[in-house]
Structures are given as C-alpha cells and as structure tokens.
Amino acid sequence: MRSLIFCTLLLFSTTTLATETRLVVRARARDGKFVGTSMGGVRVVLRDAQSGQVLVSGVIAGSTGNTQTLMKQPQVRGAPLADESSAKFTATLDLTEPRLVTVEVSGPLAQRQALATSTTQLWMLPGKHIEGDGLILELPGFVMHVVTPSAHEFLKLPADKKLTVPLRANLTLMCGCPTEPNGLWDSNRYELQATVKHNGKPLTQVPLKYAGKTSTFEAALSVQQPGIYEVTVTAYDPITGNTGVDSTTFVVES
C-alpha cells in the first residue's frame, strides 16, 4: 500500500513540475525571405536528441515577411526580422528538465522537386520560451520547374528531320521570390543550362535565357533523330551558391 501511495505521489509530483515551453520555428530561403504558405509551407519535426523520439511536428504557415526589413535595410543586432504575419510554427513542449532537441525543417512542400532539409540542435529549458524571431533555419537553393516540354510528351519528327523543341523553365528562390534581370533577385548573375541526353547518351548542352516574363527562362533545342530525350535544367548562383535542378523527358517519333 505504501509503495502504491509513493508511486502515485511521485507521478503527481513529476506531472506538476512539467512546465509549458514554447519554441517558434521559421525557415528562410538563402538570399531570400521566409518560406511560408505561398510555397505550401515547411514541415517541422522536433525530436529528442538522444532517443530520436518525435516530440512534436507541424507545418510552418504565414507570409514571406517584409521585403524592406529582410532584403533592403541594414540589419541591426537585436532588431526583429519577422513581423506578426511572417511564416512560423510554434512548438509547445511540457518540460520537467532541460532537454536537448533536434529541430528539422523540410520544404517547400508545394515544390517537391526542390525539397530541402535543414537541421540543428538546441537546449530547451522549462518555461524559457524562444519566441519573437525564434529559431530561423536556412533553406539553400532554387526552385526549378521545367514547364516545357511536358513530361513524356510525344513529338513528331518532320520529313526534313529538323525539329525545334522549345525548352521553358520557371526559377524562383525557395520562398517563391521572383527572379529577373536587374531585379532584387538579379538573374543576370545566374547560370542556367539544359543538359540533354538522347536514348541515354549525352547529346548537347544549351544555355537558357530570360524569356521576358518574370522567373521564366527559355531555349530552343534542335532535334534531328527519333528517340527518347531526357532534359535536365540546372541553375547556379556563383555569389550565394544557390542551386536548382529539375528534369523532364519527351519522345520524338519518326
């Protein structure tokens, strides 16, 4: 009987000592703004760093934040980067003691071909909230999406065996921030290239140029033989190191 009472008191004591502790998690594109709802959000998972047990998970939602604050004005130490609408996920844990937590973010969820994961660890202390800007993890890279030709598109080779296939791709930062020549995200410094294979063998490489529409780039591919073509479009920013890749295939019939 005494053992039962002792265990009950111990359990009650442990429960009452648990303190609600909040952690705000945000994801920010490298050289860009916050990644939020407009890009499908970002998956957040908090795990116990020792056991790997999932403690809480959710999705970052909200806006990309204030362009002036994030991209234009000089950043002052201690000055907030996020405003009330900026994308975030608030994780709530009940802690009885300090806990080392692994925080993982993966996104953007609406562009799976560009999905990237960033992970860090921090100690969470009972009742010591980490809010405001919270914990900001960086997602490097571009979102590259090949628009034309569409996947597994069939094209007819004309009698003179001269076919021009338009290549068209959309390129943004992980936050969805637009790219264009001389813009805030200046595509003049980006290197965009299509690498083409024919029936599994390297065929050619073609640079893509700005198509006159925000975040859109294009090239023309000359095709003279039937077969299966694989196109891989890449983007590279030598200043930030951001990279992006997407692929498609098309079939040419004689």
Side-chain angles (χ1 to χ4, degrees):
M1 183 65 178
R2 288 183 178 180
S3 297
L4 179 60
I5 294 174
F6 176 76
C7 290
T8 302
L9 290 174
L10 181 61
L11 178 61
F12 178 76
S13 174
T14 302
T15 303
T16 55
L17 286 175
T19 305
E20 181 180 287
T21 308
R22 295 185 297 275
L23 170 66
V24 168
V25 181
R26 305 181 194 269
R28 184 177 178 182
R30 177 178 293 177
D31 191 41
K33 300 168 67 180
F34 295 116
V35 186
T37 304
S38 63
M39 294 298 280
V42 178
R43 173 67 61 184
V44 180
V45 180
L46 271 66
R47 294 183 175 88
D48 181 276
Q50 293 183 325
S51 68
Q53 175 191 359
V54 174
L55 305 174
V56 64
S57 64
V59 176
I60 290 174
S63 77
T64 57
N66 186 289
T67 302
Q68 185 71 27
T69 301
L70 293 171
M71 303 305 305
K72 295 182 178 181
Q73 70 185 30
Q75 294 184 3
V76 179
R77 182 180 181 184
L81 295 174
D83 56 25
E84 286 299 318
S85 66
S86 296
K88 67 178 181 180
F89 170 72
T90 301
T92 302
L93 300 179
D94 291 324
L95 300 179
T96 59
E97 60 184 1
R99 195 165 197 174
L100 183 61
V101 175
T102 299
V103 182
E104 177 184 283
V105 298
S106 299
L109 296 178
Q111 298 291 334
R112 300 285 176 161
Q113 81 282 7
L115 195 78
T117 298
S118 183
T119 305
T120 192
Q121 293 182 324
L122 78 163
W123 283 99
M124 293 186 66
L125 310 180
K128 304 302 181 182
H129 308 304
I130 303 174
E131 298 180 300
D133 283 349
L135 180 66
I136 302 176
L137 282 80
E138 182 182 74
L139 291 179
F142 287 117
V143 175
M144 171 68 77
H145 173 56
V146 177
V147 179
T148 304
S150 57
H152 206 255
E153 182 175 353
F154 281 80
L155 302 173
K156 186 72 173 179
L157 188 67
D160 62 2
K161 294 188 177 182
K162 293 182 180 180
L163 175 64
T164 299
V165 179
L167 305 179
R168 202 170 180 90
N170 181 265
L171 182 74
T172 70
L173 275 74
M174 300 293 261
C175 51
C177 301
T179 61
E180 60 185 348
N182 304 315
L184 184 56
W185 292 277
D186 186 2
S187 62
N188 285 323
R189 74 188 196 204
Y190 302 160
E191 301 172 13
L192 283 85
Q193 179 176 270
T195 300
V196 184
K197 292 182 179 180
H198 175 236
N199 292 335
K201 297 181 180 180
L203 178 64
T204 188
Q205 291 182 322
V206 182
L208 276 74
K209 303 297 183 182
Y210 184 64
K213 179 183 178 182
T214 302
S215 303
T216 305
F217 300 82
E218 63 183 1
L221 175 64
S222 178
V223 171
Q224 299 177 339
Q225 293 180 315
I228 299 173
Y229 290 80
E230 179 183 348
V231 180
T232 300
V233 181
T234 61
Y236 170 61
D237 180 353
I239 303 298
T240 65
N242 276 334
T243 56
V245 180
D246 194 22
S247 299
T248 191
T249 58
F250 64 92
V251 180
V252 175
E253 297 179 311
S254 56

